[in-house]
Amino acid sequence: MAAVKETVDQVGELEAYKHGFVTDIEQDFAPKGLSADTVRFISAKKGEPEWMLQWRLEAYERWLALEEPDWAKVNFPKIDYQDSYYYAAPKDPASGPLSLDEVDPEILATYAKLGIPLREQEVLAGVVGAPKYAVDAVFDSVSVVTTFKKELAAVGVIFCSMSEAIREHPELVRKYLGSVVPVSDNYFACLNSAVFSDGSFVYVPPGVKCPMELSTYFRINAAESGQFERTLIIVDKGAQVSYLEGCTAPMRDINQLHAAVVELVAMDDATIKYSTVQNWYPGDPVTGKGGIYNFVTKRADCRGDRSKVSWTQVETGSAITWKYPSCVLRGEGSVGEFYSIAITNGRQQADTGTKMIHLGANTRSRIISKGISAGKSSNTYRGLVSAHPKAKGARNFTQCDSLLIGKECAAHTVPYIEARNGQAVFEHEATTTRLSEDQLFYAMQRGLGQEEAVQLLVNGFVKEVLQELPMEFAVEAQKLVAISLEGSVG
Amino acid sequence: MLSIKNLHATVADKPIIKGLTLDVPAGEVHAIMGPNGAGKSTLSYVLTGRAGYEVTDGTATLDGEDLLSLDPNERAARGVFLSFQYPLEIPGVPALTFIRAALNAQRKARGEPEVGAPAFLKLARETAASLKIDFDMLKRSLNVGFSGGEKKRMEIFQMAMLSPRFLILDETDSGLDIDALKIVAAGVNAMRSPDRAMLVITHYQRLLDYIKPDRVHVLSAGRIVASGGPELAHELEREGYDKYGKAA
């Protein structure tokens, strides 16, 4: 309730894509294009051990043999993989995060502009009682800083950049990297395995409830470069973590590729809550020029009994979104959840959803998807729910709602349901509605302006999902919903 | 207060209001009665600015200010309120949130300070009590799963909270049982004041036993064809609309 009101308050501040600025700093690039040498360059830049390089090279070899998938309901010109930079990093930090004083002030200013607290005291000096959260800031291909590491280390939680984890915790990385999303899982995941740059690494030891929210803030700055982040989160027996990622990029009129891989591992009785607020530059709303191609593989392995993984995503940006955060429900009684708000406006195309793969007995999953299409955009929900022979007593509930704003947009729902045993119970509900002129008039008759009325109605539509976000991000997400739909009516 | 002169309006190019003239002075309650299809609801939508209801001629002013050129929310900010015949459902938006957003939008448009949460909640509690509305109902999505009678009561609740100057009640009695009708009528009567005026649109005389009009007008085929005191409503109840001609 308060949240909806907040949006109404914030409508006055609305503007078009506001993270579209470019930070002018000196950067290191890998030579343009992709080859085994590019892979070696990246690995060397990061000072990686030999095993990591071999892992990457093997991925590169496999990638050469794969074909770009074409089954998603999105259209884009053929990507020339040789016409992009695969590594871009701010000049100074040769390897990994530094102390804040050594970070280029321009970069700090960038994050300040984005409202991301990188100084721990800024977080502490915030509103009384506001929960603390630790931040890993990834700027193009490298992590520039990670906050609250000491405080987290005191309880045994490892939160650092992937590059640092490869150097400092090789035993964990070698054990789990690629164990959820195998190297050649799909075209984009394979590409990522070869050239991934940075991302976050989290390990929560048995029985520990992570004392604060962890978050990673991804920023693409360089032109003509892709971002290939890799995130790995391992939560041991009986441990808990809540993690959030945010993403923005400058406005550029060429397309940029973002092909990330996120792997989550949940042991017995572990709980992972993973939230995403994705606001990559969506491209020009009229011509469709530019914007990020967001081709992401996210998967959780509920390896342990009674483990639980909850994905919550608010997808508002990107020219094209191709993303299906999934749960492999292996452990007995494990639980997977997927809460999604996907908004497309202008010329955006989204093909997103989830996969709930029930392998263990008495596994449960829940999918709540809210798609909103406006402008000339296309929004597809694609979801798989499957129960394998051993998954006796598996249960799924899926609710999939689409809201259309205007007459030139499209919404599609593509559910795949496979039950390979007779004791699984799957429920699927889907609705498609158009934002009703009657409701709009009703709200306006009460005094709300048209934009305000749309915000209020849309917030009502997505409320079930917004409630799943950590409080401090729910407000942010709501603002984003408002901004994304600005000018979509009338 | 409200002054309508020679109003003509079309819906999908079909003329519905055809030269309607009406004055409702401040402090008065006027009833509009008429057969189905006479243009009663159309009149309420034209006055509130609903899209698709096109004014082709004539004027409508509130205290001398032109209404017809204003957006629906601008008219609302100037104090025009319509109690809908069929109130809309707003899923996911609690009634209180909706009304507070509307109230503050109106206040902002008038250059008044917004109402803070404590003052708003206090007013909401008092108003709900007077209309016998369970306060918990106000925390639920507006009108979703409400009965017809509850929706109408919620309209009157919104009206009381927004405190408009010119009230239009469109078939407010439909769907109400006698007890609910009394509560709603009491709520409406509580709003009668020398600074306000009301237009009560109804097909039946029943509502007018509880909300006593100063004047009664018969609307037929898009025009006012007869006007009189409250006794006109009783006459219509006895004799029907036949003598005023069929609907267009």
Side-chain angles (χ1 to χ4, degrees), chain A residues 424-442:
Chain A
V425 180
F426 293 167
E427 293 172 73
H428 183 95
E429 290 179 12
T431 64
T432 301
T433 46
R434 194 177 291 284
L435 188 75
S436 116
E437 298 278 338
D438 292 352
Q439 286 176 323
L440 265 185
F441 172 65
Y442 186 70

Side-chain angles (χ1 to χ4, degrees), chain A residues 130-202:
Chain A
K132 268 192 273 185
Y133 61 102
V135 178
D136 182 23
V138 177
F139 195 86
D140 288 326
S141 300
V142 296
S143 165
V144 289
V145 68
T146 309
T147 62
F148 288 108
K149 281 168 78 169
K150 274 188 200 146
E151 203 165 332
L152 289 165
V155 290
V157 174
I158 302 169
F159 179 41
C160 63
S161 70
M162 191 54 125
S163 310
E164 188 180 337
I166 290 166
R167 292 193 306 269
E168 307 292 328
H169 310 283
E171 68 299 341
L172 286 171
V173 175
R174 288 188 84 160
K175 185 167 174 194
Y176 291 105
L177 189 71
S179 74
V180 183
V181 179
V183 166
S184 53
D185 184 80
N186 68 69
Y187 187 81
F188 300 113
C190 194
L191 174 64
N192 174 286
S193 299
V195 300
F196 76 82
S197 37
D198 220 335
S200 299
F201 175 84
V202 176

Side-chain angles (χ1 to χ4, degrees), chain A residues 3 17 47-48 52 54 62 65 75 105 159 162 181 196 222 224 241 259 262 275 277 291 315 355 357 384 398 413 487:
Chain A
Y17 192 77
E48 288 177 351
M52 195 67 245
Q54 289 310 319
R62 291 199 188 189
N75 288 302
F159 179 41
M162 191 54 125
V181 179
F196 76 82
E224 296 178 70
V241 73
V262 174
S275 312
V277 176
E315 300 281 314
K355 287 188 276 186
I357 299 163
L384 166 71
T398 299
T413 301

Side-chain angles (χ1 to χ4, degrees), chain A residues 116 134-136 199-200 213-218 227 229-231 233 242-248 258 260-262 264 273-280 294 296-298 311-315 323 325 469-470 473 476 480:
Chain A
I116 314 298
V135 178
D136 182 23
S200 299
E213 297 274 343
L214 305 183
S215 67
T216 300
Y217 210 89
F218 295 99
Q227 190 175 52
E229 91 249 10
R230 186 97 193 181
T231 292
I233 298 178
S242 173
Y243 176 92
L244 182 128
E245 58 169 359
C247 333
T248 59
H258 173 256
V261 173
V262 174
L264 311 185
K273 186 177 174 65
Y274 192 106
S275 312
T276 303
V277 176
Q278 185 264 106
N279 186 23
W280 296 120
N294 193 35
V296 171
T297 304
K298 290 183 166 174
W311 296 102
T312 304
Q313 60 170 18
V314 179
E315 300 281 314
K323 180 183 165 190
L469 283 174
F473 298 112
E476 180 69 18
L480 205 52

Side-chain angles (χ1 to χ4, degrees), chain A residues 355-423:
Chain A
K355 287 188 276 186
M356 292 291 174
I357 299 163
H358 294 257
L359 300 180
N362 300 315
T363 44
R364 282 175 292 142
S365 62
R366 181 179 167 85
I367 298 168
I368 307 286
S369 163
K370 302 276 182 177
I372 301 170
S373 337
K376 295 186 174 177
S377 68
S378 160
N379 200 328
T380 301
Y381 167 82
R382 188 183 300 276
L384 166 71
V385 178
S386 74
H388 288 245
K390 284 183 186 164
K392 305 268 191 265
R395 288 191 73 104
N396 164 267
F397 174 76
T398 299
Q399 187 184 329
C400 204
D401 299 324
S402 305
L403 183 68
L404 302 169
I405 301 178
K407 295 192 169 73
E408 293 180 276
C409 55
H412 311 273
T413 301
V414 191
Y416 304 81
I417 298 170
E418 305 169 358
R420 286 195 253 146
N421 75 66
Q423 291 168 49

Side-chain angles (χ1 to χ4, degrees), chain A residues 98-111:
Chain A
L98 329 142
S99 95
L100 214 50
D101 300 331
E102 297 170 76
V103 177
D104 187 327
E106 284 294 322
I107 294 176
L108 293 182
T110 300
Y111 283 94

Side-chain angles (χ1 to χ4, degrees), chain A residues 40 110 201 208 249 282 307-308:
Chain A
R40 285 194 190 91
T110 300
F201 175 84
V208 172
S307 55
K308 179 178 173 183

